[in-house]
Amino acid sequence: MTDPVSDWHRLAATTVLLDGFHALKHALRFGAEVPVAVTADRAAALALAQELAPDVRDTLDALLTEVPHGTYTSLVPRPHPTAVAALAVRPSRDAHLAALAHSPRTAPVVVLDNPRNLGNAGAVIRLAAGFGATGVVTTGTLDPWHPTVVRGGAGLHFATAVERLTVGELPSGPLFALDPDGDDLRGVSLPDDAVLAFGSERTGLSAELRARADHLLSLPMRPQVSSYNLATSVAMTLYHWSLAVPGQGANDRARNHGRPAAAR
């Protein structure tokens, strides 16, 4: 039997940190390969699984190793209240690029143009996974697989295709960019193969992405309100897309879309 702490130190530099019970739960549900998982309280973690995620309880029972609390805290940048952490193999970039490029797409791709806030990026990935979006692409320097982003996404990176690309590498499809000067979103029908682009929390859309956009759209907003949170803007836009089929709500719409194999 291998030592989980030794395994952790050996694998940490090349794997994805799953910080907390919920991140591990979601990663397992969506097929993540998890070579090592630790907890400072195994009984509490399994009780939580039995209560909130009985579908992965047996998997966690076989996977989790209890370690002293001090050992657990030494392995993570910031201890999680559930005292659970794991390492997962990052999905294949090639598989994600293939999912993003697949045609015809049955759900939009969300693009975050040069985002700055790690937590916001994670919240958007969580939203996109919930709506069954094809993927989330970031441009710029932010790493969408940074541990803080994965924590903010609650492990749902494994439920959609998450990659960093340049504007020139964005997947094909009509590009709708959100901008205060655009047409009102409520008057536009968003196709399933749309690429939905959202600007930086501070500076908005880059000139490069704006030049490539096929359509500029704006969100309804009361006068004198300056802006929405980035994740809120993405949620409003995806919800509008999800209502495109009469009589079909967001939950049904998301269930009917497959997932790729593999701020403010």
Side-chain angles (χ1 to χ4, degrees):
M1 183 175 180
T2 60
D3 173 25
V5 177
S6 297
D7 289 343
W8 188 285
H9 289 301
R10 176 173 55 85
L11 297 169
T14 58
T15 52
V16 177
L17 173 63
L18 300 174
D19 198 1
F21 170 82
H22 299 291
L24 177 56
K25 167 194 72 179
H26 282 136
L28 290 173
R29 281 179 173 167
F30 290 96
E33 180 184 346
V34 180
V36 58
V38 299
T39 177
D41 190 337
R42 192 172 187 277
L46 292 177
L48 192 61
Q50 186 62 44
E51 177 185 1
L52 301 179
D55 55 308
V56 298
R57 195 266 179 204
D58 289 346
T59 301
L60 287 171
D61 188 19
L63 186 62
L64 280 171
T65 300
E66 184 166 299
V67 297
H69 193 270
T71 300
Y72 158 72
T73 59
S74 73
L75 299 176
V76 295
R78 181 165 54 116
H80 192 275
T82 59
V84 171
L87 297 177
V89 176
R90 180 167 172 169
S92 161
R93 178 175 171 85
D94 288 343
H96 277 178
L97 294 178
L100 293 168
H102 180 76
S103 181
R105 284 196 303 271
T106 58
V109 172
V110 173
V111 176
L112 303 183
D113 186 29
N114 199 26
R116 300 296 187 182
N117 186 287
L118 296 167
N120 282 348
V124 168
I125 290 165
R126 188 171 185 173
L127 274 167
F131 275 98
T134 295
V136 177
V137 170
T138 63
T139 69
T141 59
L142 182 144
D143 176 10
W145 285 86
H146 185 284
T148 302
V149 182
V150 178
R151 181 170 178 149
L156 283 163
H157 283 60
F158 293 88
T160 189
V162 177
E163 291 296 337
R164 178 168 50 178
L165 302 173
T166 67
V167 171
E169 294 171 331
L170 293 180
S172 62
L175 199 160
F176 296 82
L178 277 289
D179 184 88
D181 295 327
D183 297 326
D184 192 316
L185 173 70
R186 291 170 293 184
V188 177
S189 179
L190 297 174
D192 289 348
D193 65 344
V195 178
L196 307 175
F198 301 81
S200 166
E201 298 93 337
R202 290 184 179 272
T203 59
L205 296 167
S206 66
E208 185 180 8
L209 193 143
R210 182 188 290 270
R212 180 169 171 180
D214 298 301
H215 310 273
L216 293 180
L217 300 177
S218 63
L219 296 170
M221 187 182 300
R222 181 180 178 180
Q224 299 184 318
V225 175
S226 59
S227 64
Y228 293 121
N229 174 274
L230 176 61
T232 299
S233 298
V234 175
M236 292 172 70
T237 306
L238 286 175
Y239 185 75
H240 178 75
W241 160 75
S242 77
L243 297 179
V245 176
Q248 189 170 33
N251 288 340
D252 297 322
R253 182 83 161 163
R255 274 195 294 268
N256 289 339
H257 289 288
R259 297 178 174 88
R264 186 183 277 263

